[in-house]
Amino acid sequence: APAPAPRPEPADRENPPQDDAAARRDEPNPNAPKLTKLGYVTVPPLVDLAAMTDDQLRAVNGFTVLRPDLGKIVWLGSVDVANLDLDRDVRICESDGPPGVEVYDDDSAKPPRGHKLNGPAIVTLHHVGPPRDAPDDPALADKWRKKIDKAVSRMNCELVRYDFPNRTWEFKCKYM
């Protein structure tokens, strides 16, 4: 009978090659993005991101952070989400008016353009406009469209659409 294959040394079992370790990982990847703020959701979901290898985390397509009641940010193309602190780096919030977004509010934490979350994205915000119980007035709708156009220009972004009846504003940014 052939001799049994040699058993790996204990050190080999504890420190398998990185690719094998990532593929067989039973615990969450410690390099997955962190997000603990209530009301925030990611696509892919955090649990799926935590199951990814480091290589997969460095190239996530369609990465999205959203607050279903307020809006979302969808990054275009492949995004490196490894080691991100989404609690610190992304905010979708209301502040005495319509919702807004902020990515990397701390310039010292902001990566170069085109890296991590500082890349092209489409932002969608809900509840942008007068209160829903405001009269259906074409002059009011026109006033809000002008405000939206001015804001998009000021941010150096591109208007995708403004849906006045539903109070939804979508714009595309080259960099966040």
Side-chain angles (χ1 to χ4, degrees), residues 45-77:
L46 287 173
V47 67
D48 292 353
L49 292 166
M52 290 182 178
T53 65
D54 288 345
D55 285 343
Q56 290 170 322
L57 288 173
R58 286 191 284 274
V60 175
N61 285 307
F63 183 67
T64 304
V65 176
L66 65 128
R67 288 186 69 186
D69 53 331
L70 296 175
K72 65 183 176 180
I73 306 169
V74 179
W75 279 269
L76 305 174

